[in-house]
Amino acid sequence: MTAQILDGKQLAETLRAEVKRGVLAFVAEHGRAPGLDVVLVGEDPASQVYTRNKEKQAKEVGIRGTLHTLPAETTEAELVALLARLNADDAVDGILVQLPLPKQIREQTVLDLIRPEKDVDGFHPVNAGLLASGRPSLVPCTPRGCMKLLERAGTKLAGARAVVIGRSNIVGKPALQLLLAESATVTIAHSRTKDLPALCREADVLVAAVGRPEMVRGDWVKDGAVVIDVGINRVEVPGTGKTRLVGDVAYDEVAERAAAITPVPGGVGPMTIACLLENTLVAARARVAAR
Ligand code: NAD
């Protein structure tokens, strides 16, 4: 079997076009654009690229994107003061604090201060609780992107066996909730799981969110499974002095067995920012509706 490639770049483009239409309608109705404020503390190079992309893509779909860049030595109190200002600003619909934060700032303390209705990353405990209760909420962007890719693949989730590798609050746990909401039978695997290959072989849908290059091998995957690779790992290309990105899945081996698979790069990654833009529009609509 040769797997169908689930093209996240293309699907993200379609989603961005949809969001752009929604933004135009929002502006026509409310006389202002939805607003997304992204906060970056410090000079982590990967975070700089991610936040610049978020701001740029927001602007491309007509969202008012603002990037707040704070120095690495910013205190927690200073960040808290900025968040209080953004929370109170009616033109701000979405607030995103880029992770990781410098050591002097407590991540959870800060994230918990973002008003849940502006929490476009979906990390606030209120949003996590709503998601776990099967109620409308702002859903974390990466697992939301995974679900859209599964939908695009036409994957039948009701009754399917799904295995999610990774139990982070950002990917693994919300992915579990979203799959469960679609009536899949879901197992979460993690670093202490015994005989992971055997567990994975039971999966009709396999989501890998680990951060270990090419950990999932061809013989871990059942024939005809749908494989979503969330991992982004930079590895050296031997003898060239260069690096490349690979996922958590050994793509070539797994593509021979799977019915569908996401590539890295170009799979889940592009969907994450597109879903952030969608979340900003969702948050803006919900905030005006709540008035
Ligand atoms: P994390 O480090 O918070 O969590 C990793 C999880 O993997 C943990 O729950 C851990 O228990 C599990 N794990 C570690 N070693 C394992 C092993 N040997 N066997 C089974 N499970 C193991 O990471 P995260 O934030 O969830 O991110 C996971 C990966 O996804 C990373 O590569 C990250 O870069 C990538 N990521 C991609 C996007 C995207 O937009 N595509 C977004 C977020 C994260």
mmCIF file of all heavy atoms in Angstrom, residues 142 165-168 170-172 189-193 196 208-212 215 229-233 248 268-269 272, ligand 1:
data_model
loop_
_atom_site.group_PDB
_atom_site.id
_atom_site.type_symbol
_atom_site.label_atom_id
_atom_site.label_comp_id
_atom_site.label_asym_id
_atom_site.label_seq_id
_atom_site.Cartn_x
_atom_site.Cartn_y
_atom_site.Cartn_z
ATOM 1 N N THR A 142 -2.713 22.967 17.525
ATOM 2 C CA THR A 142 -2.070 21.827 16.859
ATOM 3 C C THR A 142 -3.006 20.611 16.792
ATOM 4 O O THR A 142 -3.213 20.052 15.704
ATOM 5 C CB THR A 142 -0.729 21.493 17.544
ATOM 6 O OG1 THR A 142 0.106 22.646 17.441
ATOM 7 C CG2 THR A 142 -0.045 20.315 16.897
ATOM 8 N N ILE A 165 0.496 9.172 20.939
ATOM 9 C CA ILE A 165 1.750 9.050 21.701
ATOM 10 C C ILE A 165 2.145 10.451 22.154
ATOM 11 O O ILE A 165 2.373 11.329 21.329
ATOM 12 C CB ILE A 165 2.894 8.436 20.874
ATOM 13 C CG1 ILE A 165 2.397 7.293 19.988
ATOM 14 C CG2 ILE A 165 4.000 7.923 21.796
ATOM 15 C CD1 ILE A 165 3.472 6.745 19.048
ATOM 16 N N GLY A 166 2.221 10.629 23.471
ATOM 17 C CA GLY A 166 2.524 11.949 24.056
ATOM 18 C C GLY A 166 1.347 12.436 24.874
ATOM 19 O O GLY A 166 0.209 12.327 24.447
ATOM 20 N N ARG A 167 1.650 12.958 26.069
ATOM 21 C CA ARG A 167 0.568 13.379 26.972
ATOM 22 C C ARG A 167 0.710 14.844 27.389
ATOM 23 O O ARG A 167 0.365 15.223 28.514
ATOM 24 C CB ARG A 167 0.537 12.487 28.208
ATOM 25 C CG ARG A 167 1.842 12.472 28.977
ATOM 26 C CD ARG A 167 1.752 11.647 30.234
ATOM 27 N NE ARG A 167 3.082 11.246 30.673
ATOM 28 C CZ ARG A 167 3.316 10.462 31.705
ATOM 29 N NH1 ARG A 167 2.314 9.993 32.412
ATOM 30 N NH2 ARG A 167 4.544 10.129 32.036
ATOM 31 N N SER A 168 1.244 15.671 26.491
ATOM 32 C CA SER A 168 1.391 17.091 26.859
ATOM 33 C C SER A 168 0.029 17.784 26.854
ATOM 34 O O SER A 168 -0.920 17.334 26.200
ATOM 35 C CB SER A 168 2.330 17.803 25.884
ATOM 36 O OG SER A 168 1.709 17.963 24.628
ATOM 37 N N ILE A 170 -0.412 20.542 25.529
ATOM 38 C CA ILE A 170 -0.472 21.304 24.280
ATOM 39 C C ILE A 170 -0.973 20.445 23.122
ATOM 40 O O ILE A 170 -1.713 20.904 22.261
ATOM 41 C CB ILE A 170 0.938 21.869 23.974
ATOM 42 C CG1 ILE A 170 1.322 22.887 25.059
ATOM 43 C CG2 ILE A 170 1.039 22.457 22.588
ATOM 44 C CD1 ILE A 170 2.761 23.357 24.994
ATOM 45 N N VAL A 171 -0.554 19.188 23.100
ATOM 46 C CA VAL A 171 -0.924 18.316 21.979
ATOM 47 C C VAL A 171 -1.650 17.049 22.440
ATOM 48 O O VAL A 171 -2.821 16.827 22.100
ATOM 49 C CB VAL A 171 0.305 17.911 21.121
ATOM 50 C CG1 VAL A 171 -0.162 17.229 19.843
ATOM 51 C CG2 VAL A 171 1.204 19.084 20.785
ATOM 52 N N GLY A 172 -0.959 16.203 23.204
ATOM 53 C CA GLY A 172 -1.472 14.856 23.489
ATOM 54 C C GLY A 172 -2.841 14.843 24.155
ATOM 55 O O GLY A 172 -3.777 14.192 23.661
ATOM 56 N N ALA A 189 -0.442 7.044 24.967
ATOM 57 C CA ALA A 189 0.826 6.405 25.335
ATOM 58 C C ALA A 189 1.822 7.500 25.700
ATOM 59 O O ALA A 189 1.669 8.647 25.282
ATOM 60 C CB ALA A 189 1.352 5.598 24.153
ATOM 61 N N HIS A 190 2.812 7.146 26.499
ATOM 62 C CA HIS A 190 3.794 8.140 26.953
ATOM 63 C C HIS A 190 5.098 7.435 27.270
ATOM 64 O O HIS A 190 5.255 6.239 26.972
ATOM 65 C CB HIS A 190 3.235 8.913 28.155
ATOM 66 C CG HIS A 190 2.635 8.020 29.191
ATOM 67 N ND1 HIS A 190 3.396 7.308 30.056
ATOM 68 C CD2 HIS A 190 1.336 7.697 29.430
ATOM 69 C CE1 HIS A 190 2.603 6.586 30.830
ATOM 70 N NE2 HIS A 190 1.350 6.804 30.464
ATOM 71 N N SER A 191 6.011 8.171 27.900
ATOM 72 C CA SER A 191 7.367 7.642 28.087
ATOM 73 C C SER A 191 7.403 6.395 28.972
ATOM 74 O O SER A 191 8.368 5.646 28.936
ATOM 75 C CB SER A 191 8.266 8.730 28.675
ATOM 76 O OG SER A 191 7.656 9.283 29.822
ATOM 77 N N ARG A 192 6.361 6.164 29.775
ATOM 78 C CA ARG A 192 6.360 4.988 30.658
ATOM 79 C C ARG A 192 5.504 3.840 30.105
ATOM 80 O O ARG A 192 5.319 2.825 30.778
ATOM 81 C CB ARG A 192 5.830 5.386 32.046
ATOM 82 C CG ARG A 192 6.554 6.562 32.675
ATOM 83 C CD ARG A 192 7.966 6.203 33.117
ATOM 84 N NE ARG A 192 7.964 5.351 34.271
ATOM 85 C CZ ARG A 192 7.954 5.764 35.531
ATOM 86 N NH1 ARG A 192 7.976 7.055 35.776
ATOM 87 N NH2 ARG A 192 7.942 4.926 36.535
ATOM 88 N N THR A 193 4.962 4.013 28.903
ATOM 89 C CA THR A 193 4.111 2.966 28.315
ATOM 90 C C THR A 193 4.950 1.725 27.992
ATOM 91 O O THR A 193 6.052 1.839 27.448
ATOM 92 C CB THR A 193 3.439 3.502 27.028
ATOM 93 O OG1 THR A 193 2.581 4.565 27.400
ATOM 94 C CG2 THR A 193 2.646 2.425 26.305
ATOM 95 N N LEU A 196 5.292 -0.193 23.487
ATOM 96 C CA LEU A 196 4.672 0.812 22.625
ATOM 97 C C LEU A 196 4.429 0.300 21.194
ATOM 98 O O LEU A 196 3.343 0.524 20.643
ATOM 99 C CB LEU A 196 5.546 2.079 22.625
ATOM 100 C CG LEU A 196 5.015 3.281 21.879
ATOM 101 C CD1 LEU A 196 3.656 3.728 22.392
ATOM 102 C CD2 LEU A 196 6.016 4.431 21.971
ATOM 103 N N ALA A 208 1.415 10.853 16.571
ATOM 104 C CA ALA A 208 2.700 10.851 17.275
ATOM 105 C C ALA A 208 3.081 12.278 17.637
ATOM 106 O O ALA A 208 3.257 13.124 16.758
ATOM 107 C CB ALA A 208 3.777 10.216 16.385
ATOM 108 N N ALA A 209 3.179 12.557 18.947
ATOM 109 C CA ALA A 209 3.547 13.905 19.430
ATOM 110 C C ALA A 209 4.541 13.736 20.560
ATOM 111 O O ALA A 209 4.220 13.878 21.735
ATOM 112 C CB ALA A 209 2.313 14.658 19.889
ATOM 113 N N VAL A 210 5.766 13.396 20.192
ATOM 114 C CA VAL A 210 6.770 12.974 21.164
ATOM 115 C C VAL A 210 7.983 13.910 21.182
ATOM 116 O O VAL A 210 8.442 14.345 22.244
ATOM 117 C CB VAL A 210 7.251 11.529 20.840
ATOM 118 C CG1 VAL A 210 8.186 11.030 21.928
ATOM 119 C CG2 VAL A 210 6.083 10.593 20.682
ATOM 120 N N GLY A 211 8.512 14.190 19.995
ATOM 121 C CA GLY A 211 9.747 14.964 19.917
ATOM 122 C C GLY A 211 10.974 14.069 19.860
ATOM 123 O O GLY A 211 12.035 14.422 20.352
ATOM 124 N N ARG A 212 10.807 12.851 19.258
ATOM 125 C CA ARG A 212 11.938 11.935 19.059
ATOM 126 C C ARG A 212 12.006 11.567 17.584
ATOM 127 O O ARG A 212 11.077 10.924 17.077
ATOM 128 C CB ARG A 212 11.746 10.656 19.881
ATOM 129 C CG ARG A 212 11.956 10.908 21.342
ATOM 130 C CD ARG A 212 11.796 9.639 22.136
ATOM 131 N NE ARG A 212 12.340 9.851 23.444
ATOM 132 C CZ ARG A 212 13.409 9.232 23.933
ATOM 133 N NH1 ARG A 212 14.028 8.316 23.222
ATOM 134 N NH2 ARG A 212 13.843 9.499 25.135
ATOM 135 N N MET A 215 10.927 7.949 15.573
ATOM 136 C CA MET A 215 10.774 6.883 16.564
ATOM 137 C C MET A 215 9.796 5.792 16.095
ATOM 138 O O MET A 215 10.006 4.597 16.328
ATOM 139 C CB MET A 215 10.281 7.489 17.887
ATOM 140 C CG MET A 215 10.156 6.488 19.001
ATOM 141 S SD MET A 215 9.500 7.234 20.512
ATOM 142 C CE MET A 215 7.773 7.169 20.159
ATOM 143 N N ASP A 229 1.699 12.847 12.062
ATOM 144 C CA ASP A 229 3.020 13.056 12.670
ATOM 145 C C ASP A 229 3.142 14.513 13.123
ATOM 146 O O ASP A 229 3.286 15.420 12.306
ATOM 147 C CB ASP A 229 4.095 12.725 11.620
ATOM 148 C CG ASP A 229 5.486 12.696 12.216
ATOM 149 O OD1 ASP A 229 5.641 13.053 13.400
ATOM 150 O OD2 ASP A 229 6.419 12.315 11.478
ATOM 151 N N VAL A 230 3.077 14.726 14.440
ATOM 152 C CA VAL A 230 3.131 16.093 14.985
ATOM 153 C C VAL A 230 4.577 16.541 15.212
ATOM 154 O O VAL A 230 4.886 17.720 15.208
ATOM 155 C CB VAL A 230 2.326 16.176 16.310
ATOM 156 C CG1 VAL A 230 2.351 17.595 16.873
ATOM 157 C CG2 VAL A 230 0.879 15.723 16.097
ATOM 158 N N GLY A 231 5.457 15.596 15.380
ATOM 159 C CA GLY A 231 6.838 15.893 15.766
ATOM 160 C C GLY A 231 7.570 16.798 14.779
ATOM 161 O O GLY A 231 7.385 16.693 13.562
ATOM 162 N N ILE A 232 8.370 17.691 15.330
ATOM 163 C CA ILE A 232 9.267 18.515 14.507
ATOM 164 C C ILE A 232 10.647 18.391 15.140
ATOM 165 O O ILE A 232 10.869 18.885 16.242
ATOM 166 C CB ILE A 232 8.838 20.000 14.486
ATOM 167 C CG1 ILE A 232 7.410 20.146 13.949
ATOM 168 C CG2 ILE A 232 9.821 20.827 13.666
ATOM 169 C CD1 ILE A 232 6.894 21.573 13.959
ATOM 170 N N ASN A 233 11.545 17.703 14.470
ATOM 171 C CA ASN A 233 12.882 17.473 15.030
ATOM 172 C C ASN A 233 13.929 17.876 13.997
ATOM 173 O O ASN A 233 13.826 17.489 12.830
ATOM 174 C CB ASN A 233 13.072 15.982 15.357
ATOM 175 C CG ASN A 233 11.923 15.427 16.189
ATOM 176 O OD1 ASN A 233 11.802 15.743 17.360
ATOM 177 N ND2 ASN A 233 11.058 14.598 15.583
ATOM 178 N N ASP A 248 8.323 12.510 14.082
ATOM 179 C CA ASP A 248 8.475 11.414 15.047
ATOM 180 C C ASP A 248 8.268 10.063 14.358
ATOM 181 O O ASP A 248 8.383 9.017 14.984
ATOM 182 C CB ASP A 248 7.433 11.555 16.167
ATOM 183 C CG ASP A 248 7.716 12.760 17.055
ATOM 184 O OD1 ASP A 248 8.857 13.250 17.053
ATOM 185 O OD2 ASP A 248 6.782 13.193 17.757
ATOM 186 N N VAL A 268 1.304 18.739 9.727
ATOM 187 C CA VAL A 268 0.613 19.381 10.859
ATOM 188 C C VAL A 268 1.075 20.831 11.059
ATOM 189 O O VAL A 268 0.264 21.707 11.385
ATOM 190 C CB VAL A 268 0.837 18.565 12.159
ATOM 191 C CG1 VAL A 268 0.220 19.266 13.356
ATOM 192 C CG2 VAL A 268 0.281 17.156 12.003
ATOM 193 N N GLY A 269 2.365 21.092 10.854
ATOM 194 C CA GLY A 269 2.951 22.413 11.125
ATOM 195 C C GLY A 269 2.144 23.575 10.547
ATOM 196 O O GLY A 269 1.708 24.456 11.295
ATOM 197 N N THR A 272 -1.176 24.464 12.231
ATOM 198 C CA THR A 272 -1.205 25.060 13.569
ATOM 199 C C THR A 272 -1.482 26.562 13.490
ATOM 200 O O THR A 272 -2.363 27.081 14.173
ATOM 201 C CB THR A 272 0.121 24.763 14.302
ATOM 202 O OG1 THR A 272 0.214 23.350 14.461
ATOM 203 C CG2 THR A 272 0.172 25.416 15.671
HETATM 204 P P1 NAD B 1 6.405 17.401 25.261
HETATM 205 O O1 NAD B 1 7.868 17.276 25.415
HETATM 206 O O2 NAD B 1 5.641 18.319 26.133
HETATM 207 O O3 NAD B 1 5.740 15.971 25.375
HETATM 208 C C1 NAD B 1 6.319 14.837 24.795
HETATM 209 C C2 NAD B 1 5.560 13.615 25.222
HETATM 210 O O4 NAD B 1 6.176 12.489 24.652
HETATM 211 C C3 NAD B 1 5.520 13.405 26.733
HETATM 212 O O5 NAD B 1 4.185 13.234 27.152
HETATM 213 C C4 NAD B 1 6.312 12.107 26.964
HETATM 214 O O6 NAD B 1 5.728 11.277 27.947
HETATM 215 C C5 NAD B 1 6.240 11.441 25.600
HETATM 216 N N1 NAD B 1 7.430 10.629 25.347
HETATM 217 C C6 NAD B 1 8.729 10.989 25.488
HETATM 218 N N2 NAD B 1 9.529 9.956 25.182
HETATM 219 C C7 NAD B 1 8.735 8.933 24.850
HETATM 220 C C8 NAD B 1 8.974 7.603 24.448
HETATM 221 N N3 NAD B 1 10.215 7.118 24.318
HETATM 222 N N4 NAD B 1 7.914 6.815 24.203
HETATM 223 C C9 NAD B 1 6.650 7.296 24.310
HETATM 224 N N5 NAD B 1 6.370 8.546 24.673
HETATM 225 C C10 NAD B 1 7.392 9.358 24.945
HETATM 226 O O7 NAD B 1 6.205 17.749 23.722
HETATM 227 P P2 NAD B 1 4.981 18.452 22.931
HETATM 228 O O8 NAD B 1 4.971 19.913 23.208
HETATM 229 O O9 NAD B 1 3.731 17.675 23.085
HETATM 230 O O10 NAD B 1 5.539 18.271 21.432
HETATM 231 C C11 NAD B 1 5.782 16.997 20.886
HETATM 232 C C12 NAD B 1 6.404 17.143 19.508
HETATM 233 O O11 NAD B 1 5.513 17.851 18.669
HETATM 234 C C13 NAD B 1 7.719 17.942 19.475
HETATM 235 O O12 NAD B 1 8.532 17.419 18.456
HETATM 236 C C14 NAD B 1 7.276 19.327 19.095
HETATM 237 O O13 NAD B 1 8.284 20.048 18.430
HETATM 238 C C15 NAD B 1 6.146 19.009 18.148
HETATM 239 N N6 NAD B 1 5.129 20.055 18.051
HETATM 240 C C16 NAD B 1 4.746 20.390 16.809
HETATM 241 C C17 NAD B 1 3.772 21.358 16.633
HETATM 242 C C18 NAD B 1 3.338 21.673 15.249
HETATM 243 O O14 NAD B 1 2.828 22.742 15.006
HETATM 244 N N7 NAD B 1 3.498 20.750 14.307
HETATM 245 C C19 NAD B 1 3.189 21.989 17.729
HETATM 246 C C20 NAD B 1 3.579 21.589 19.024
HETATM 247 C C21 NAD B 1 4.553 20.615 19.159
#
